[in-house]
Each structure stands twice: as C-alpha cells, then as structure tokens.
Amino acid sequence: MNKHLGAVLAFGVSTLSASVSLAAEKDPFMWLEEVEGEKQLAWVAEKNKRSLADIKQYPGFQGLVDNALEVLNNKDRIPYASRNGNYYYNFWRDSDNPRGLYRRATLSEYKKDKPKWETVLDIDALGKKEDVNWVYKGMNCLQPEYTRCMVALSRGGADAVEYREFDLEKAEFIQGGLYLPEAKSDIEWLDKDTLIVGTDFGDGKSLTDSGYPRVLKMWHRGKGFKNGKTVYEAEQASVSARAYTLGKGKETTVFINDATDFYNATTYVYADEKLTAVDIPSDSDVEGLFKGNVYLLLKSDWKHNGKRFKQGSLLYSSLADIKAGKASFKLFQAPSEGKTIKGVAFTKNSLLISWLDNVRSSVVRYTPAKDGKWSEHRLELDDKAVVGLVDVDDRYEDFLVSYSSFIEPSTLYLFNEGKTGKEKVKSSPSMFDGERFKVEQFKATSKDGTQVPYFVVMDKQLKFNGKNPTLLYGYGGFEISLLPRYSATIGKNWLEQGGVYVLSNIRGGGEFGPAWHQAALKENRHKAYEDFEAIAEDLIARKITSPKHLGIQGGSNGGLLMGNAFTRRPDLYNAVVCQVPLLDMKRYNKLLAGASWMAEYGNPDIAEEWDFIKTFSPYHNVSKDTKYPKVFFTTSTRDDRVHPAHARKMVALMESQGHDVLYYENIEGGHAGAADIKQRAELSALAYAYLLSQLK
C-alpha cells in the first residue's frame, strides 16, 4: 500500500456543505492545490472510498475488470518493436511483468509466433530491488552505434524522470556512469563523453515558468552536469529550450530550439561555440534530414525568396545552405482539399508521408532516382483502416507498418524498398466479435455551418429508436487527430455490452491540417464545443440515442471539453467521464506545466484574454441552480503535467453547491492515470461500470 494513502485512510475529513458561488478573485478551495498534504490526501481518500463503493455496486463490475485484464495481459497481442542493429527491441507488460520488460530478439526470431526474447531491463525487478515504483519512460541512445544509452525512469509515472547511463550491448547499467537526478530534463548526445543537457540545475533559475529546461549546458563526463559551459539561455517566459541533432557521427549538426510558446520557436544552428539563427517560420516543424536536405512542414502560409508556400506544405532546403545562412526552400508536397500531411519519416533511401484524407489514412513512399526525379508508391493497404508507421529508421531500407480499424485487430507488415509487396509479420487476435458491428462516418453541421465528421461503431442490428447507450469521445486540441483504432477493451466492455461508440473529429484537432486546429484557438475555443454539441444533437436526430442514453468521455484537454460540455449543455447528456482534466482556467497557467499551454487557450492574467477564457472555464461556469448529470471525475496524484487540483476543486465546488458527483484519484499513474496493468484495468472498469449504470 502507498505510504501516504495508508496514513490518510484513518485520518478522515468532513465535506464542506455550505453552498459556494465562486468568484474569480476568491477561491475557497485553493487549499486542494497542495498535492500531497495530509489534509488533502485525506480528502482524496474519503472521496475515493465513497465513489468506489458507489460504482462497484454495478453487478457486472468484476466482469469488466476481468475483461480489461484479459485484454491487457493477452500474450498473443503484437509486441511492437523498433530495430537497432541485429535486434528488434520491445517494451512489454503483462500479468507477470506489470511494470514491464525491455527486451530484444533477432528479426528471424521476432517473426516467429513465439519469439525467444532476451531481457534487457526488468523494471519490476529494479523497482523491487530499490523499493521504488519505477515506470519506464524510454531510452536515449548515442548514434550511430546506439549502444550507449540514457534510461529514463519515473517514480509513479510522473513526467519528471531520472536518467541513468546504460550499456545496451551488455544489458546493464554502467557503474559510475552518467546520471541525472529527477527533473523534467532534456538531453542530447554529442559523443560518448559529451551531452547537451537542460534540467533543473538547482539554482532556482534554470527552469521556465512552465517548469521545463530554460538553460542548456555542455555536459562532459567526469565534470558533473551542473558545471558545464552554458550553451543557451531562453527567457523565463519561454516554454522550454532543447537541443537536437541532424546527421550522424562526424557529420552531426546541432540545432537549438527555443520554444517561445507551445507552437512557436526560434531555431539556431550551434557550431564552433556560436549560434546562427535559422530563417524559418517560428511555427513550422523541422521533420528531419534526408540526402543532405532538411525537410520542413509549414503550419501557416509562408512567403520565402519570392515564392508563396501553402499552409501544410512539406518543403526542403540543403543543410549546407541552412548552416551558411542561405536557406532556399523548395516545395516537395502540398495538401489539397480535405487531404493533409499527418507525418513524415525517412528510411535509408526513401521518404515516407502519412496522409489523411477525410480522416482516412494512407502512406506514400517517395524514392529519388539518380537523375533527381522521384517515384511514388502508395503502400498496398486500403484506407478503411488506420495505417501507422511503427518502426522507420534512416539506417535501414526496411520498415514496419501497422494496419487496424475499430473492428479489425492490428496487423503488422514489413516493407522493403527493394520490393513492391509487403510481408505479414504479426497479427493480434480478435478479442471481441467484430463481425457483429459496422462502422459508419457521418457529418454534423456546427453552429457556424462547418461540416464536422464523426465515426459511429454500432451493432449491425441496431434499432434507431433513441434508446441505445452511446458513448461520445472527444479531444479537440493541440492539433491531435483522433483516428479509427482497434480497442479490445472498448469492444468487450462497451460494444458487447450493448453500447454504441462514437469518435468525434471536432475542430482543435489535426484531422484536416493546421487550419482545423487553429480554428478553435483562444477566443475561438467555443468552436470546438459547438462542434461537439452538433455531433451530440446529430446522434439524437438520427435516433441513434437520446439525452437519457448519451454519455461522453475525454481526458486532459478532452477533460476541459467534458467540463464545458456538461456546463454548457447539461440537457444533452446523462453521463460524463472527465479524466485528468483542466477545469480552472483562471489558474491553469500557474499550475505545473500550465503556462506552456497559453498559446492554445490564452493568458488569464491579461484582462482582455480572461474575458474570453472565462467563457470556457468550467470551474467558473458551474452553477448551483442548474441540474447536471452525475459526473465522474478521475485524476492522479502523480500527474505533474495537469495538476490534480483541477478535478479536486471542481468536485469540492460542485458538492458545496449540492450536486451529486463521483471522484477517483489514483495515487500513482502520472498524466496517463495508471502506472501498471492492474491500475489501468480497474480504472477502465470504473469508467465503463459508471457509464453502463447511467445509460442503460
């Protein structure tokens, strides 16, 4: 049992009963912002106890837990892997390894139904040995050998990690090796004895207002990470500073990225201890280096050297010209109506572009010939499912691609540049009866006339009588696209329980490129919420469901969406799962990483911006005089990205106003909400049990 939780279970705390109307200048529940205080955790324990008792009354609760565990522990699911040298590496969790194994197998072995894996790092054994609830957060390895690595380890799933040097060939930590204590750090290898590091240097001045690295230093082995020469310092108001490299070995070029806000950055080349500014749009993304050219994806229209390039276009310029301050970008590919570039990757001899066309995906391979012309080949996978690049590396010609849909489990294919076909490597078993269901794509008309697409997964025999339990999922922010994906948990614990599943593609996301995202920024945030409401109304108009049987779910920025959904239109929904949410938009920029999101939402400390922000701050818009559905809020004590106080304070306020709400705070889990398989299964089951209780 968690030590803090054990201490608070016996503490007890009384719930405020007086009705409170929140004013912007006075917050009676600010005391809940202290994350791990005794009084605060006692409050959490009391809420958890009551909510768990309520939700677990659902007769099928344990069956939902068992279903989720069966899915998460399924040893026949695809072990997604990435190639490094002669091995494919995979991170794996199951009932025997709840925290996970980092392991490897040769390609020939990997292709087998039952590969023989070699364990590289056992996170469960490490945690037991050190008595720390370690969560694996990845490896950063030195190129081009990729054998000397820094392993990132998080306590309880938080974003803050500690780094330890690791020998990948020997599969062991290096005694006396490089080490960084817990912080939100950024590191980049230059050679086996040198890194550029941004971290908390302990001077109170090395982090931005968002809590990310502000100062970058050259870290030489044996000299201590605090003692290196300063390479770059960002302003305190910047989001973060980081270094990255293009090229390998002696051909490596160091770039410095100063993120002035979430979507804009100043870019420099760092060479000979000098910084040279790179003339590119601040909101563009450097995608990588291929055959001597740097590829750039535009987020806005750009006039460059007398040419106009369209938003969403992929451009290229030679690295040599960029380093010389004479960048001359040319067009490689441009988006078209309804079609946008989702991602770019590079193999040894080809460039791959993931395209989205009306929220349907495909991948095209572009290969240059000696005469400078390019050949195009669309991968032989239809657009009825999601095509995802799993492992693409510019050291190799072959690459792995996944293919799945709402009702078709994932299949993994190996493609090779020397062949036009594909080789099926692995497939996941069907975990629910996909043949029972069908998928349709509809469009709803938003308040301003915009057509907003959404997917519906439903039983082929569904009766359009308005009585079907329906779950509408949404996010709508940060240019993140919601795409059709196979979820056996949704299949077993929702679809097979008689539910309809709906995936929304509202503005704020990236389904139609940067413009779709930018349409719902700041003062236009309401556009995302209007889109979501339009989909809910469209589902009701089609008699797929009705308000009594319609539930909604979202997390993080999607949790903010949920908060606005039920405060704006409580008449539309009868269940709300609001996960790791933002809710107090007056103080969000002062809590953890919140300041980094002001480019998305605005700055509440500026009166003119607070005027529009307060219209989508659920904490300030909930009313004691309005009847709301019984909302289920979830968060995590160890979430160091979105502060748990958002959910805590909203629950305290709503209860003080007399509203009936449910609340569960996992003591571990970070922003993901759960730290291991058991926690994930139980948290998932809580959500579905609540939804089924409310909507059936």
Side-chain angles (χ1 to χ4, degrees):
M1 178 181 290
N2 181 281
K3 294 178 182 177
H4 292 294
L5 180 59
V8 303
L9 282 177
F11 185 80
V13 65
S14 61
T15 303
L16 290 171
S17 58
S19 176
V20 175
S21 178
L22 187 71
E25 67 277 2
K26 186 178 181 181
D27 185 350
F29 303 111
M30 195 179 294
W31 64 277
L32 286 166
E33 292 182 5
E34 184 180 340
V35 177
E36 294 185 315
E38 186 176 33
K39 180 182 177 183
Q40 290 77 8
L41 289 179
W43 182 93
V44 168
E46 190 267 334
K47 302 300 175 192
N48 282 358
K49 182 178 180 181
R50 186 178 71 83
S51 296
L52 291 177
D54 185 306
I55 296 174
K56 288 184 178 181
Q57 289 182 54
Y58 179 70
F61 177 76
Q62 189 56 48
L64 297 174
V65 174
D66 293 342
N67 285 344
L69 285 172
E70 181 185 354
V71 170
L72 294 170
N73 288 321
N74 174 25
K75 289 182 167 56
D76 293 325
R77 69 187 189 275
I78 294 176
Y80 290 100
S82 58
R83 182 179 174 185
N84 184 18
N86 296 321
Y87 294 100
Y88 276 82
Y89 287 80
N90 161 259
F91 184 71
W92 182 263
R93 284 174 169 171
D94 59 24
S95 56
D96 298 324
N97 308 279
R99 298 286 173 164
L101 292 174
Y102 192 63
R103 57 188 190 171
R104 63 190 173 196
T106 62
L107 177 58
S108 59
E109 193 68 33
Y110 179 64
K111 289 181 179 179
K112 296 178 181 178
D113 290 338
K114 302 287 185 184
K116 183 179 179 182
W117 293 96
E118 175 191 355
T119 297
V120 175
L121 180 60
D122 186 330
I123 304 299
D124 293 276
L126 180 68
K128 184 176 181 180
K129 176 183 177 183
E130 300 181 354
D131 194 25
V132 180
N133 55 340
W134 289 125
V135 174
Y136 175 73
K137 290 280 187 168
M139 289 200 186
N140 185 321
C141 300
L142 172 64
Q143 57 183 3
E145 298 87 1
Y146 293 90
T147 57
R148 184 63 61 93
C149 306
M150 294 291 283
V151 174
L153 297 168
S154 159
R155 288 187 303 110
D159 285 353
V161 300
E162 70 172 50
Y163 279 102
R164 304 181 188 180
E165 192 172 10
F166 191 83
D167 188 320
L168 197 58
E169 284 187 320
K170 296 180 180 178
E172 63 185 22
F173 287 106
I174 296 172
Q175 295 297 318
L178 298 171
Y179 171 79
L180 273 182
E182 182 182 272
K184 292 182 179 180
S185 304
D186 187 86
I187 60 174
E188 183 71 3
W189 288 94
L190 298 186
D191 59 48
K192 67 182 181 65
D193 296 315
T194 314
L195 298 89
I196 294 179
V197 58
T199 190
D200 184 351
F201 291 107
D203 55 5
K205 302 176 181 178
S206 51
L207 300 179
T208 66
D209 292 336
S210 300
Y212 296 106
R214 184 184 75 82
V215 177
L216 302 179
K217 292 187 178 185
M218 195 70 69
W219 180 17
H220 298 286
R221 186 183 299 277
K223 295 189 176 180
F225 69 93
K226 296 182 180 180
N227 302 320
K229 179 179 179 180
T230 296
V231 172
Y232 185 79
E233 288 191 44
E235 296 295 326
Q236 190 75 29
S238 285
V239 172
S240 67
R242 70 181 182 93
Y244 64 93
T245 58
L246 296 180
K248 291 182 173 63
K250 295 180 180 179
E251 302 301 318
T252 295
T253 300
V254 178
F255 287 78
I256 302 294
N257 180 281
D258 180 345
T260 52
D261 65 33
F262 202 87
Y263 301 111
N264 292 275
T266 305
T267 302
Y268 304 89
V269 170
Y270 180 74
D272 300 322
E273 299 187 353
K274 295 180 181 179
L275 291 167
T276 302
V278 180
D279 182 21
I280 57 176
S282 62
D283 62 348
S284 59
D285 288 340
V286 174
E287 296 293 330
L289 179 69
F290 181 70
K291 303 294 184 183
N293 289 320
V294 174
Y295 284 77
L296 187 74
L297 189 61
L298 297 183
K299 300 297 182 180
S300 57
D301 294 343
W302 187 36
K303 185 177 180 181
H304 171 71
N305 289 349
K307 300 177 183 177
R308 290 186 179 275
F309 297 108
K310 183 179 178 182
Q311 178 187 56
S313 296
L314 184 65
L315 313 180
Y316 66 97
S317 176
S318 76
L319 175 59
D321 285 348
I322 290 174
K323 291 171 68 175
K326 300 183 296 183
S328 180
F329 282 92
K330 301 177 180 63
L331 178 67
F332 185 74
Q333 290 290 322
S336 57
E337 185 67 29
K339 187 175 182 181
T340 185
I341 295 173
K342 181 68 175 65
V344 181
F346 307 93
T347 69
K348 187 175 182 179
N349 295 308
S350 296
L351 184 155
L352 303 175
I353 294 181
S354 298
W355 290 94
L356 275 183
D357 188 352
N358 194 28
V359 206
R360 296 180 182 275
S361 62
S362 62
V363 175
V364 178
R365 177 170 58 192
Y366 301 85
T367 306
K370 291 182 180 179
D371 61 4
K373 294 182 179 180
W374 292 77
S375 63
E376 297 182 20
H377 175 73
R378 177 171 167 155
L379 301 192
E380 297 173 359
L381 297 166
D382 67 52
D383 65 359
K384 292 181 178 143
V386 173
V387 181
L389 298 173
V390 173
D391 178 48
V392 183
D393 192 302
D394 63 5
R395 292 174 289 169
Y396 313 115
E397 293 183 359
D398 50 348
F399 55 95
L400 292 171
V401 173
S402 67
Y403 175 91
S404 69
S405 74
F406 285 115
I407 54 179
E408 298 171 275
S410 299
T411 302
L412 192 63
Y413 293 99
L414 179 68
F415 286 83
N416 187 283
E417 291 170 354
K419 303 173 184 177
T420 57
K422 59 184 181 293
E423 178 185 355
K424 180 178 176 181
V425 177
K426 291 188 179 295
S427 60
S428 288
S430 295
M431 296 291 289
F432 68 95
D433 185 8
E435 292 296 320
R436 278 181 50 191
F437 305 98
K438 63 180 179 179
V439 180
E440 294 197 28
Q441 186 182 34
F442 299 115
K443 289 188 177 180
T445 303
S446 196
K447 187 175 181 179
D448 64 0
T450 301
Q451 296 294 293
V452 185
Y454 65 95
F455 292 95
V456 180
V457 189
M458 54 189 156
D459 196 293
K460 291 176 180 177
Q461 307 303 318
L462 186 82
K463 294 180 180 179
F464 289 72
N465 57 12
K467 297 181 179 180
N468 302 293
T470 300
L471 175 59
L472 169 58
Y473 186 88
Y475 187 80
F478 296 94
E479 205 176 337
I480 292 173
S481 303
L482 296 186
L483 306 179
R485 68 180 183 90
Y486 186 83
S487 170
T489 305
I490 292 173
K492 293 176 76 69
N493 280 351
W494 186 248
L495 295 175
E496 288 191 341
Q497 307 297 322
V500 175
Y501 183 76
V502 182
L503 186 72
S504 64
N505 299 123
I506 62 178
R507 281 174 287 184
E511 290 88 347
F512 295 95
W516 194 249
H517 165 238
Q518 293 162 10
L521 287 176
K522 295 184 176 180
E523 67 270 19
N524 292 318
R525 198 76 199 166
H526 61 281
K527 300 288 187 182
Y529 309 141
E530 290 170 357
D531 290 357
F532 196 73
E533 290 160 4
I535 293 172
E537 291 173 332
D538 201 54
L539 290 166
I540 294 165
R542 294 177 187 275
K543 295 191 183 241
I544 291 173
T545 191
S546 60
K548 180 180 179 181
H549 301 287
L550 178 57
I552 56 177
Q553 181 181 23
S556 192
N557 171 74
L560 177 61
L561 170 65
M562 295 301 103
N564 278 280
F566 81 79
T567 53
R568 284 168 57 99
R569 291 293 305 276
D571 58 303
L572 284 178
Y573 322 106
N574 195 35
V576 182
V577 181
C578 187
Q579 300 167 301
V580 288
L582 286 91
L583 295 167
D584 178 1
M585 300 307 289
K586 181 63 177 175
R587 285 184 51 75
Y588 86 93
N589 61 326
K590 297 176 176 62
L591 300 173
L592 298 175
S596 66
W597 308 319
M598 289 192 290
E600 181 83 8
Y601 305 121
N603 184 348
D605 297 330
I606 298 173
E608 294 81 0
E609 296 193 19
W610 173 241
D611 283 345
F612 64 76
I613 295 171
K614 68 184 178 183
T615 67
F616 60 84
S617 180
Y619 191 52
H620 296 86
N621 293 319
V622 65
S623 168
K624 66 182 178 62
D625 299 320
T626 303
K627 180 175 173 56
Y628 298 108
K630 186 178 181 178
V631 183
F632 180 28
F633 295 92
T634 70
T635 189
S636 168
T637 311
R638 287 294 295 158
D639 189 346
D640 56 352
R641 191 181 312 173
V642 176
H643 202 292
H646 284 279
R648 290 178 178 182
K649 295 198 299 181
M650 189 70 165
V651 167
L653 175 60
M654 291 185 71
E655 287 189 336
S656 76
Q657 295 176 342
H659 302 298
D660 188 13
V661 298
L662 295 166
Y663 179 82
Y664 180 71
E665 180 175 321
N666 192 21
I667 304 301
E668 297 181 339
H671 194 53
D676 59 29
I677 283 175
K678 184 179 179 182
Q679 290 177 18
R680 286 173 62 192
E682 291 186 348
L683 190 59
S684 169
L686 287 172
Y688 288 116
Y690 157 79
L691 288 164
L692 290 166
S693 296
Q694 290 288 113
L695 302 178
K696 269 196 164 181

